[in-house]
Amino acid sequence: MSPDLTTKYLGLTLRNPLVVAACPLTHQLEWLEQLEKAGVGAVVLPSLFEEQIVREEAELHDATEFGSEYYAEHSNWYPEPTEYRTGCQAYLDYIGQAKKAVSIPVIASLNGTSVGGWTRYAKMMQDAGADALELNIYLIAADLQSTAADVENRYADLVAQVKQSVSIPLAVKVGPYFSSPGHMAKQLVTAGADGLVLFNRFLQPDMDLENLEVSPHLELSTPQEMLLPLRWIAILRGQVEASLAITSGVHDAAGMAKALLAGADCCQVVSTLYRNGMGRAAEMLAGLTGWMQSKEYKSVAQLKGSMSQQNCPDPSAFERGNYMKALTSFTGKPI
Amino acid sequence: MEKRRFVTVDGNEATAAIAHLCNEVAAIYPITPSSGLGEMPDAWAAAGRKNIFGAVPSVVEMQSEAGAAGAVHGSLQAGAITTTFTASQGLLLMIPNMFKIAGELTPTVFHVTARTVATHALSIFGDHSDVMACRSTGWAMLASGSVQEAQDMALISQAATLECRVPFIHFYDGFRISHEVNKIEQLTEDDCRAMIDMDFVQAHRDNAMNPQRPVLRGTAQNPDHFFQAREACNPFYEKVPGIVQKTMDKFAKLVGRQYHLFDYFGAPDAERVVVLMTAGFGIVEETIDKLVTAGEKIGMVKVRLYRPFDAAAMVAALPKTVKTIAALDRTKEPGCAGEPLYQDVITAMAEQWTDGPAPKVIGGRYGLSSKEFTPAMAKAVFDEIAKPQPKNHFTIGINDDVTHTSLEVDETFSTEGADSTRAVFYGLGSDGTVGSVRNTVKIVGENTPLHAQGYFVYDSRKAGSLTTSHLRISPRPIKGSYLIHNANFVACHQSHFPDRLDVLSVAEPGATFLLNSSFGPDEVWDTLPVEMQQQIVEKKLKFFVVDAYHVAKEAEMGVRINTVMQACFFKLALTGVMSEDEAIAQIKDAIKRTYGKRGEAVLNRNYAAVDGAVGALREVKVPEAATSTKHRLEAVPSDAPAFVKEVLGQIIANRGDELPVSAFPVDGTFPTGTTKYEKRSIAQEIPIWDKDVCIQCGQCSLVCPHGTIRMKVFDPAKVSGAPASFETADAKGKDFPGMQFRLQIYPDDCTGCGLCVSVCPAKNKQAAGRKAINMEWKLDHLEREQANLAYFETLPYAEREQVKVDTIKGSQFLAPLFEFNGACAGCGETPYVKLITQFFGDRMMIANATGCSSIYGGNLPCTPYTVNQHGHGPTWSNSLFEDAGEFGFGMRLGVDQQVQYATMLVQQLAGQLGDDLAKTLLENPQETDEQIARQREAVATLKQRLPEINDPAAKSLLASADYLIRRSIWSFGGDGWAYDIGFGGLDHVFASGRDLNILVLDSEVYSNTGGQASKATPRGAVAKFAAAGKPSRKKDLGMIAMSYGGVYVGQISMGANPLHALRTIRAAEAYPGTSLIIAFSHCIGWGIDMAVGMDYQKEAVACGYWPLYHYDPRDEQQPFHLDSKEPKGAFKDFALKQARFAMLSRSKPEQSERLLELGQRDINTRWEFYSHMAEMEKAAARGSANGNGAKAETTGDKEVSQ
């Protein structure tokens, strides 16, 4: 008998724990339909960025006002648009279209760093039909005057503000760079997060040696990157009252199995789909099913968290243990 | 019935709204100041706004006004109610069709913003010379005198034309009414329906061409019957005045405003009467109001229906007591017996006056090219006709010290009401001042019982341009359409203006003065020139200061200080009108209504600017006396030539109105090289050279749009006296051993665009963000660089034969003969023009199409074309928009004829000149710079020898000798000219094969008139008349030219491949037949950061959007060469960085996506086509080399290349 792959994430019942994370793949209806056919449990739509909202509004305004009234022969450059569909409106329209196109849960994503009027878009996303909202907090704390507490409070305030404006479940996606990630996770949950998505991969700029310029750089994840979120999923499972999603480095069925064992409610994937095509989703689910069958797991629910820090045979292994074990293993091996 | 409401709009919007409602088709072509008339209905149609027939009108942009008139004619023949909008030369291009339309008794209205027709000079401003040129077309002419009337007469003319079948020109003064914003009662759709009789609409449709009941029009007629047939229309013309009056009466009954063919205003027993049309009405009314109250017996006849001229009605409108009449014409007809209205009045009086001896009639001219006409001038006319022998054929508003036609004016006479607010705002084009004043007019006009009027005066330069906004607010309707000369509020939105400009001359005693300055209330006083301080003290002005740039920056508004300054005006000037809280609330409400659709972020920024402004406004405690030692700067240096000081300098200093007639050249001929005297100093940051990092490549100098970066090499042993700050570097390269190199910035001429920095390839090893040239705060370097420049200018430029001119570096050692032009900062066109003058300027003739290049090339006060150290330089002329190809072609014809004549004379005099000299003169091929230099020497020798030869032929040859130096003849223009209005002529020039060089500065849009689509506009770009993105692909002009086989064609991009651009230009010029260079010119109209305009050019070529190529008919093996690499990167990525494409993605994303995909396909197919073409030619050439003779088909036509 096939094991039961259904899982609960943010209060939603997913047919399996494979979720496509926010990325350009979920930006086209046609691809969404293909992903659904490939079997994924849910999709997170690409992020609507705070900067994007503000910039697009400002840019369209600037373009419309551009060069206006500066010369006798013309009062402006462009005809006033008959409608304004900045990133936000197009995004909201897309949520509605996505909901019509697929039957799996559609999670909208909002990316920002500051408390402000822009967070009203969370409510608009809810009204547009999103099943849940993922708040992606992408903050580079480059201001040397900001203390760790300042930064953490900013995260918490933002989550609280967004939570106040919506009734649908709210997941919060953050990076790993906190002095005390566990405490931060608790703060986020206290502020209103229904789920945590661990961890965001920050886009790290690169340098162009030819032109001596700093250039944006994006690389797909590698399976090794999964180990960091895996640890924190394992640590947090059972210690915070929130759904947990793993993201970064889940590339295959084995990765999914490990994430579930650690305590993830679902696994968000992107890179492997880019590398291997959307059919990869079906392969991963088949692989997971096969592995569960071979290990006689009846359901994801049974499997989930069974190797979390609380449930694993050696809880310290998730703290310093991994390093110790590796060291010990090496040095203990007879030459 | 729908309720009428009061709105504040300009004359064009008032008119366009009616035209949109009452027409089904509009075929248009942009021309200032009527462009908005077509643009608004186009935008409304795009938004689905319907006409009174329930349909959305079709608004179509044509390739010229001639095309628009033809399309209108056709549409009318098809039964559609059709209109167009135009002015000036545009109206003249419509005249042939207008004769036809009237001859066929076809009802239509052309709405005309009356504008000066170009004569000795072009002018975009208003007078009646264009409409007067249409008097013989058979069109009725109805004039409007205010914004309100422009709307009302638009409807009356539309209703009347349908009934009488005679077509109408509805006209009003360009700019003074077309662009004046005023409060009017807006007519409703119901009003239009009530006025337009559907029976007449049906009659028009019934009269249309219809295969179901076919007719034939446009026959050719012969002497036996044409005359009679021409007279057959008379009954229709006889009925027009009656129908118009009937329509006016119907309008009055419906709306309440009564008009007559001729309206009288003034004392019922007036003895002196002025007759005039359009915007002068309100001015003369104000004058009459004041003088009649003082007991004067004066009046005015307003001419509304000018054609057909109902003489009886005009005479009937006059009081019987009138003794003297002055007819005022806003036009000039040199050599006439009197201007048109004067002649009509004379005729009317002769024919119709029956009450005793006819009154004396004199005529005068006023207001040409929007020259100010004020109540003081109107009074001068009334005073003149009070004299026993008034001056006939007078002028008013100028000082004619040559033929003494002008009348004296008492400038102290004013009719301004004491209870009105009169505000003048000085701003920069880019700071939003005009927009904020326009907004203020709307707020006051639409939210208070007060009346408001706004009018805007612009500078002729595009970079750093000055705008002056005139705002009146009054409890009564504001009639007077003239500038404010006694303001009770003056705002100066830029702190540097007072250094050069007398902004307080318009301030009346006790007025409020608001200055935007980064200096606070305690420091700002000391920053002012003493002349301004004296005015503040003497006029007892209340002085306020605000740091608007700081407030705007805090509110994330960038450099748009409009909202900040508007809030300050409300707080300072409108507190008598509304409470401060109410004023601020009104501004915020207006912001919400204006920008609400654009999003919360936009609103919040503007709100923050308002709040910040109110908090930052401070009053300055004015000392009892002026204290400054700083004086206002002179307009031009004291050592400038007399003409520059006495004429151009006065225009620069805004004192052009004071210049007398005698100051001006009689034929519109002006000296070149005068921009160097106007030190505008508009940049805040200028590029500063780092000699240690510089690799002396010349790219910064090459791309500088304004010629403000120069390079020289010199022998240090031969020069002395350099200032200590004059840094130099060892000249790099083996060509300059022992020489020193200097890169010099012109700090007061630089616009601060930053293009030079963006192209600099040399990076500082210690700080990668810095280059060999870096933008730095000007004031930190100004004095030093001024001193350096003064010394630099004493060093000689290289002669062209001394440097490798076919390299970027070498070319930049040559003196640019085009400098400090008034183009937009960072312009993409002017670097090409400058480079061409560096190569050929000393023997160039330029025929320039009207457009940006004619404005930055020839707009007074100062001209950028200049001369080299020998006094040689480009000679330049602008004919029309449409004929620069033919104009240049004509220059070629004329020059060739003169060359032929001079050659013949040299041959004839060879024996006396010496065979060697004659041989050089006749046989020197003049293909290289060295050969041309040799020819110059030979001609100089010739000129020395000729006076010694006693032969009439020698005298003739002396006059023609200069023609023996090969001339470089060019036609310059933009894509609007080359792709659209001038294409027919250009095509003919291609076919001629004559040696003309054609430079098309392709900015892919009508840049000068503000962004209308041309056939060069790419698919997917938003432009006026392409609001939903241009649906069709760009025309391939180069391919059309190549199809002739004998035209040299080069498509270049300076930003992508400067060396290719340079060499293509040189090869094209050297080609002895017709050459076409299509130069990719980034433009402010693309909505890009102009500082990196060259990067856009680079990307355009990289992605295949703008392939580089050249087609050289001399290369018989392979004329076509594709010179750029295979496309890499997506068109979409390039496109969406520009507002012209990105706008569509933010308003109609699906449409944008579709058009961008098609745009990519255009790129792919064109590249494939070009590649195949190049490959086929290569293959053919290989085949030829192998002896199969296939090449013959691809060579140019040698005969037409000669």
Side-chain angles (χ1 to χ4, degrees), chain B residues 925-958:
Chain B
Q926 299 193 69
E927 287 171 355
T928 65
D929 289 323
E930 291 75 16
Q931 288 165 345
I932 288 167
R934 198 156 63 242
Q935 189 78 352
R936 283 188 184 282
E937 285 169 20
V939 169
T941 307
L942 173 71
K943 285 175 160 179
Q944 281 173 353
R945 289 188 192 170
L946 283 171
E948 298 159 6
I949 300 172
N950 186 19
D951 186 327
K955 198 175 172 189
S956 300
L957 181 55
L958 190 59

mmCIF file of all heavy atoms in Angstrom, chain B residues 925-958:
data_model
loop_
_atom_site.group_PDB
_atom_site.id
_atom_site.type_symbol
_atom_site.label_atom_id
_atom_site.label_comp_id
_atom_site.label_asym_id
_atom_site.label_seq_id
_atom_site.Cartn_x
_atom_site.Cartn_y
_atom_site.Cartn_z
ATOM 1 N N PRO B 925 42.568 66.007 -56.521
ATOM 2 C CA PRO B 925 41.323 65.256 -56.277
ATOM 3 C C PRO B 925 40.593 65.658 -54.990
ATOM 4 O O PRO B 925 39.414 65.358 -54.826
ATOM 5 C CB PRO B 925 41.809 63.802 -56.188
ATOM 6 C CG PRO B 925 43.264 63.872 -55.869
ATOM 7 C CD PRO B 925 43.763 65.163 -56.444
ATOM 8 N N GLN B 926 41.282 66.295 -54.069
ATOM 9 C CA GLN B 926 40.672 66.772 -52.812
ATOM 10 C C GLN B 926 39.929 65.664 -52.078
ATOM 11 O O GLN B 926 38.812 65.855 -51.603
ATOM 12 C CB GLN B 926 39.730 67.955 -53.076
ATOM 13 C CG GLN B 926 40.413 69.161 -53.679
ATOM 14 C CD GLN B 926 39.537 70.404 -53.621
ATOM 15 O OE1 GLN B 926 39.289 70.934 -52.552
ATOM 16 N NE2 GLN B 926 39.064 70.854 -54.754
ATOM 17 N N GLU B 927 40.561 64.504 -52.021
ATOM 18 C CA GLU B 927 39.932 63.392 -51.309
ATOM 19 C C GLU B 927 40.441 63.274 -49.879
ATOM 20 O O GLU B 927 39.762 62.737 -49.017
ATOM 21 C CB GLU B 927 40.195 62.089 -52.068
ATOM 22 C CG GLU B 927 39.365 61.997 -53.351
ATOM 23 C CD GLU B 927 39.763 60.832 -54.221
ATOM 24 O OE1 GLU B 927 40.748 60.127 -53.891
ATOM 25 O OE2 GLU B 927 39.098 60.629 -55.253
ATOM 26 N N THR B 928 41.657 63.721 -49.641
ATOM 27 C CA THR B 928 42.227 63.603 -48.295
ATOM 28 C C THR B 928 42.374 64.994 -47.688
ATOM 29 O O THR B 928 42.333 66.014 -48.391
ATOM 30 C CB THR B 928 43.615 62.940 -48.347
ATOM 31 O OG1 THR B 928 44.488 63.825 -49.075
ATOM 32 C CG2 THR B 928 43.560 61.595 -49.060
ATOM 33 N N ASP B 929 42.594 65.006 -46.388
ATOM 34 C CA ASP B 929 42.785 66.285 -45.703
ATOM 35 C C ASP B 929 44.002 67.025 -46.240
ATOM 36 O O ASP B 929 44.005 68.253 -46.353
ATOM 37 C CB ASP B 929 42.929 66.055 -44.195
ATOM 38 C CG ASP B 929 41.600 65.644 -43.578
ATOM 39 O OD1 ASP B 929 40.572 66.161 -44.018
ATOM 40 O OD2 ASP B 929 41.602 64.801 -42.672
ATOM 41 N N GLU B 930 45.042 66.250 -46.561
ATOM 42 C CA GLU B 930 46.256 66.872 -47.085
ATOM 43 C C GLU B 930 45.959 67.529 -48.431
ATOM 44 O O GLU B 930 46.408 68.647 -48.712
ATOM 45 C CB GLU B 930 47.368 65.826 -47.267
ATOM 46 C CG GLU B 930 47.933 65.266 -45.965
ATOM 47 C CD GLU B 930 46.998 64.276 -45.282
ATOM 48 O OE1 GLU B 930 46.047 63.783 -45.937
ATOM 49 O OE2 GLU B 930 47.189 64.013 -44.084
ATOM 50 N N GLN B 931 45.211 66.823 -49.280
ATOM 51 C CA GLN B 931 44.892 67.373 -50.606
ATOM 52 C C GLN B 931 44.024 68.631 -50.464
ATOM 53 O O GLN B 931 44.201 69.604 -51.207
ATOM 54 C CB GLN B 931 44.162 66.316 -51.443
ATOM 55 C CG GLN B 931 45.097 65.184 -51.884
ATOM 56 C CD GLN B 931 44.327 63.978 -52.398
ATOM 57 O OE1 GLN B 931 43.121 63.853 -52.183
ATOM 58 N NE2 GLN B 931 45.038 63.076 -53.056
ATOM 59 N N ILE B 932 43.113 68.600 -49.513
ATOM 60 C CA ILE B 932 42.252 69.783 -49.328
ATOM 61 C C ILE B 932 43.082 70.945 -48.795
ATOM 62 O O ILE B 932 42.909 72.097 -49.216
ATOM 63 C CB ILE B 932 41.055 69.452 -48.423
ATOM 64 C CG1 ILE B 932 40.097 68.552 -49.210
ATOM 65 C CG2 ILE B 932 40.326 70.712 -47.963
ATOM 66 C CD1 ILE B 932 39.040 67.885 -48.416
ATOM 67 N N ALA B 933 44.020 70.649 -47.918
ATOM 68 C CA ALA B 933 44.889 71.711 -47.393
ATOM 69 C C ALA B 933 45.693 72.312 -48.545
ATOM 70 O O ALA B 933 45.889 73.542 -48.611
ATOM 71 C CB ALA B 933 45.822 71.140 -46.330
ATOM 72 N N ARG B 934 46.144 71.435 -49.456
ATOM 73 C CA ARG B 934 46.920 71.924 -50.605
ATOM 74 C C ARG B 934 46.037 72.818 -51.489
ATOM 75 O O ARG B 934 46.469 73.850 -51.982
ATOM 76 C CB ARG B 934 47.452 70.730 -51.401
ATOM 77 C CG ARG B 934 48.589 71.122 -52.326
ATOM 78 C CD ARG B 934 49.508 69.968 -52.677
ATOM 79 N NE ARG B 934 48.836 68.910 -53.402
ATOM 80 C CZ ARG B 934 48.705 67.662 -52.975
ATOM 81 N NH1 ARG B 934 49.200 67.330 -51.790
ATOM 82 N NH2 ARG B 934 48.086 66.752 -53.686
ATOM 83 N N GLN B 935 44.790 72.419 -51.631
ATOM 84 C CA GLN B 935 43.864 73.211 -52.443
ATOM 85 C C GLN B 935 43.619 74.579 -51.818
ATOM 86 O O GLN B 935 43.542 75.596 -52.504
ATOM 87 C CB GLN B 935 42.533 72.453 -52.614
ATOM 88 C CG GLN B 935 41.577 73.074 -53.608
ATOM 89 C CD GLN B 935 41.949 72.780 -55.058
ATOM 90 O OE1 GLN B 935 43.024 72.228 -55.331
ATOM 91 N NE2 GLN B 935 41.080 73.139 -55.986
ATOM 92 N N ARG B 936 43.497 74.581 -50.487
ATOM 93 C CA ARG B 936 43.309 75.864 -49.796
ATOM 94 C C ARG B 936 44.475 76.800 -50.097
ATOM 95 O O ARG B 936 44.298 77.994 -50.347
ATOM 96 C CB ARG B 936 43.212 75.650 -48.277
ATOM 97 C CG ARG B 936 41.891 75.126 -47.798
ATOM 98 C CD ARG B 936 41.854 75.154 -46.261
ATOM 99 N NE ARG B 936 40.623 74.556 -45.785
ATOM 100 C CZ ARG B 936 39.433 75.151 -45.767
ATOM 101 N NH1 ARG B 936 39.340 76.398 -46.229
ATOM 102 N NH2 ARG B 936 38.365 74.544 -45.329
ATOM 103 N N GLU B 937 45.678 76.225 -50.023
ATOM 104 C CA GLU B 937 46.864 77.051 -50.300
ATOM 105 C C GLU B 937 46.828 77.561 -51.737
ATOM 106 O O GLU B 937 47.120 78.724 -52.002
ATOM 107 C CB GLU B 937 48.140 76.223 -50.100
ATOM 108 C CG GLU B 937 48.482 75.977 -48.648
ATOM 109 C CD GLU B 937 49.598 74.946 -48.491
ATOM 110 O OE1 GLU B 937 50.346 74.716 -49.465
ATOM 111 O OE2 GLU B 937 49.673 74.346 -47.402
ATOM 112 N N ALA B 938 46.423 76.670 -52.643
ATOM 113 C CA ALA B 938 46.388 77.060 -54.063
ATOM 114 C C ALA B 938 45.359 78.167 -54.292
ATOM 115 O O ALA B 938 45.616 79.120 -55.050
ATOM 116 C CB ALA B 938 46.069 75.841 -54.926
ATOM 117 N N VAL B 939 44.242 78.054 -53.636
ATOM 118 C CA VAL B 939 43.205 79.087 -53.794
ATOM 119 C C VAL B 939 43.689 80.410 -53.191
ATOM 120 O O VAL B 939 43.458 81.484 -53.758
ATOM 121 C CB VAL B 939 41.866 78.623 -53.165
ATOM 122 C CG1 VAL B 939 40.874 79.775 -53.084
ATOM 123 C CG2 VAL B 939 41.272 77.469 -53.973
ATOM 124 N N ALA B 940 44.397 80.313 -52.086
ATOM 125 C CA ALA B 940 44.933 81.538 -51.476
ATOM 126 C C ALA B 940 45.915 82.206 -52.449
ATOM 127 O O ALA B 940 45.901 83.439 -52.627
ATOM 128 C CB ALA B 940 45.623 81.200 -50.151
ATOM 129 N N THR B 941 46.748 81.387 -53.054
ATOM 130 C CA THR B 941 47.703 81.927 -54.043
ATOM 131 C C THR B 941 46.941 82.540 -55.213
ATOM 132 O O THR B 941 47.276 83.623 -55.707
ATOM 133 C CB THR B 941 48.624 80.784 -54.546
ATOM 134 O OG1 THR B 941 49.193 80.147 -53.417
ATOM 135 C CG2 THR B 941 49.711 81.308 -55.467
ATOM 136 N N LEU B 942 45.912 81.819 -55.646
ATOM 137 C CA LEU B 942 45.082 82.312 -56.756
ATOM 138 C C LEU B 942 44.521 83.692 -56.435
ATOM 139 O O LEU B 942 44.581 84.612 -57.260
ATOM 140 C CB LEU B 942 43.947 81.317 -57.007
ATOM 141 C CG LEU B 942 42.883 81.731 -58.020
ATOM 142 C CD1 LEU B 942 43.472 81.703 -59.433
ATOM 143 C CD2 LEU B 942 41.671 80.796 -57.943
ATOM 144 N N LYS B 943 44.027 83.825 -55.227
ATOM 145 C CA LYS B 943 43.413 85.100 -54.842
ATOM 146 C C LYS B 943 44.447 86.224 -54.795
ATOM 147 O O LYS B 943 44.120 87.389 -55.007
ATOM 148 C CB LYS B 943 42.719 84.973 -53.489
ATOM 149 C CG LYS B 943 41.411 84.217 -53.536
ATOM 150 C CD LYS B 943 40.913 84.070 -52.118
ATOM 151 C CE LYS B 943 39.460 83.792 -52.015
ATOM 152 N NZ LYS B 943 39.029 83.639 -50.619
ATOM 153 N N GLN B 944 45.693 85.852 -54.506
ATOM 154 C CA GLN B 944 46.757 86.867 -54.501
ATOM 155 C C GLN B 944 47.101 87.290 -55.930
ATOM 156 O O GLN B 944 47.382 88.452 -56.206
ATOM 157 C CB GLN B 944 48.011 86.297 -53.830
ATOM 158 C CG GLN B 944 47.919 86.299 -52.320
ATOM 159 C CD GLN B 944 49.096 85.569 -51.682
ATOM 160 O OE1 GLN B 944 49.921 84.949 -52.371
ATOM 161 N NE2 GLN B 944 49.152 85.616 -50.374
ATOM 162 N N ARG B 945 47.073 86.293 -56.839
ATOM 163 C CA ARG B 945 47.520 86.598 -58.206
ATOM 164 C C ARG B 945 46.431 87.280 -59.037
ATOM 165 O O ARG B 945 46.741 88.078 -59.914
ATOM 166 C CB ARG B 945 47.943 85.305 -58.914
ATOM 167 C CG ARG B 945 49.246 84.772 -58.352
ATOM 168 C CD ARG B 945 49.767 83.604 -59.167
ATOM 169 N NE ARG B 945 50.839 82.941 -58.452
ATOM 170 C CZ ARG B 945 51.357 81.782 -58.807
ATOM 171 N NH1 ARG B 945 50.870 81.143 -59.866
ATOM 172 N NH2 ARG B 945 52.325 81.242 -58.105
ATOM 173 N N LEU B 946 45.195 86.953 -58.786
ATOM 174 C CA LEU B 946 44.119 87.428 -59.660
ATOM 175 C C LEU B 946 44.045 88.955 -59.779
ATOM 176 O O LEU B 946 43.856 89.476 -60.891
ATOM 177 C CB LEU B 946 42.770 86.860 -59.207
ATOM 178 C CG LEU B 946 42.533 85.391 -59.585
ATOM 179 C CD1 LEU B 946 41.278 84.855 -58.919
ATOM 180 C CD2 LEU B 946 42.424 85.243 -61.105
ATOM 181 N N PRO B 947 44.191 89.709 -58.682
ATOM 182 C CA PRO B 947 44.081 91.160 -58.832
ATOM 183 C C PRO B 947 45.136 91.744 -59.767
ATOM 184 O O PRO B 947 44.980 92.850 -60.291
ATOM 185 C CB PRO B 947 44.274 91.669 -57.391
ATOM 186 C CG PRO B 947 43.909 90.515 -56.533
ATOM 187 C CD PRO B 947 44.354 89.306 -57.293
ATOM 188 N N GLU B 948 46.219 90.971 -59.940
ATOM 189 C CA GLU B 948 47.283 91.482 -60.808
ATOM 190 C C GLU B 948 46.974 91.234 -62.277
ATOM 191 O O GLU B 948 47.676 91.729 -63.155
ATOM 192 C CB GLU B 948 48.613 90.795 -60.463
ATOM 193 C CG GLU B 948 49.068 91.076 -59.026
ATOM 194 C CD GLU B 948 50.062 90.033 -58.534
ATOM 195 O OE1 GLU B 948 50.478 89.167 -59.338
ATOM 196 O OE2 GLU B 948 50.390 90.089 -57.330
ATOM 197 N N ILE B 949 45.986 90.445 -62.562
ATOM 198 C CA ILE B 949 45.676 90.086 -63.946
ATOM 199 C C ILE B 949 44.602 91.018 -64.478
ATOM 200 O O ILE B 949 43.513 91.117 -63.898
ATOM 201 C CB ILE B 949 45.214 88.616 -64.045
ATOM 202 C CG1 ILE B 949 46.334 87.698 -63.539
ATOM 203 C CG2 ILE B 949 44.804 88.263 -65.476
ATOM 204 C CD1 ILE B 949 45.938 86.254 -63.411
ATOM 205 N N ASN B 950 44.913 91.664 -65.528
ATOM 206 C CA ASN B 950 43.986 92.642 -66.109
ATOM 207 C C ASN B 950 43.069 91.954 -67.121
ATOM 208 O O ASN B 950 43.309 91.992 -68.330
ATOM 209 C CB ASN B 950 44.789 93.781 -66.751
ATOM 210 C CG ASN B 950 43.868 94.881 -67.223
ATOM 211 O OD1 ASN B 950 42.714 94.955 -66.776
ATOM 212 N ND2 ASN B 950 44.347 95.716 -68.133
ATOM 213 N N ASP B 951 42.082 91.312 -66.598
ATOM 214 C CA ASP B 951 41.158 90.566 -67.447
ATOM 215 C C ASP B 951 39.835 90.484 -66.686
ATOM 216 O O ASP B 951 39.825 90.145 -65.492
ATOM 217 C CB ASP B 951 41.733 89.158 -67.675
ATOM 218 C CG ASP B 951 40.900 88.351 -68.672
ATOM 219 O OD1 ASP B 951 39.672 88.543 -68.697
ATOM 220 O OD2 ASP B 951 41.484 87.521 -69.386
ATOM 221 N N PRO B 952 38.713 90.789 -67.337
ATOM 222 C CA PRO B 952 37.426 90.696 -66.610
ATOM 223 C C PRO B 952 37.208 89.316 -66.031
ATOM 224 O O PRO B 952 36.579 89.157 -64.988
ATOM 225 C CB PRO B 952 36.383 91.012 -67.685
ATOM 226 C CG PRO B 952 37.134 91.656 -68.802
ATOM 227 C CD PRO B 952 38.549 91.217 -68.729
ATOM 228 N N ALA B 953 37.741 88.302 -66.677
ATOM 229 C CA ALA B 953 37.563 86.932 -66.175
ATOM 230 C C ALA B 953 38.231 86.773 -64.816
ATOM 231 O O ALA B 953 37.775 86.008 -63.954
ATOM 232 C CB ALA B 953 38.128 85.922 -67.173
ATOM 233 N N ALA B 954 39.322 87.514 -64.619
ATOM 234 C CA ALA B 954 40.030 87.415 -63.335
ATOM 235 C C ALA B 954 39.152 87.939 -62.207
ATOM 236 O O ALA B 954 39.120 87.381 -61.102
ATOM 237 C CB ALA B 954 41.333 88.197 -63.403
ATOM 238 N N LYS B 955 38.444 89.007 -62.500
ATOM 239 C CA LYS B 955 37.545 89.576 -61.486
ATOM 240 C C LYS B 955 36.434 88.580 -61.136
ATOM 241 O O LYS B 955 36.074 88.375 -59.973
ATOM 242 C CB LYS B 955 36.948 90.881 -62.011
ATOM 243 C CG LYS B 955 36.365 91.746 -60.938
ATOM 244 C CD LYS B 955 35.904 93.072 -61.501
ATOM 245 C CE LYS B 955 35.137 93.846 -60.437
ATOM 246 N NZ LYS B 955 34.497 95.006 -60.993
ATOM 247 N N SER B 956 35.925 87.958 -62.174
ATOM 248 C CA SER B 956 34.869 86.962 -61.955
ATOM 249 C C SER B 956 35.406 85.776 -61.164
ATOM 250 O O SER B 956 34.752 85.255 -60.255
ATOM 251 C CB SER B 956 34.319 86.456 -63.298
ATOM 252 O OG SER B 956 33.784 87.519 -64.023
ATOM 253 N N LEU B 957 36.616 85.364 -61.497
ATOM 254 C CA LEU B 957 37.191 84.203 -60.808
ATOM 255 C C LEU B 957 37.468 84.536 -59.344
ATOM 256 O O LEU B 957 37.283 83.694 -58.457
ATOM 257 C CB LEU B 957 38.467 83.743 -61.514
ATOM 258 C CG LEU B 957 39.167 82.518 -60.901
ATOM 259 C CD1 LEU B 957 38.212 81.331 -60.801
ATOM 260 C CD2 LEU B 957 40.391 82.115 -61.723
ATOM 261 N N LEU B 958 37.878 85.757 -59.097
ATOM 262 C CA LEU B 958 38.128 86.143 -57.711
ATOM 263 C C LEU B 958 36.853 85.965 -56.866
ATOM 264 O O LEU B 958 36.903 85.509 -55.731
ATOM 265 C CB LEU B 958 38.607 87.602 -57.657
ATOM 266 C CG LEU B 958 39.145 88.093 -56.308
ATOM 267 C CD1 LEU B 958 40.330 87.241 -55.849
ATOM 268 C CD2 LEU B 958 39.558 89.556 -56.397
#
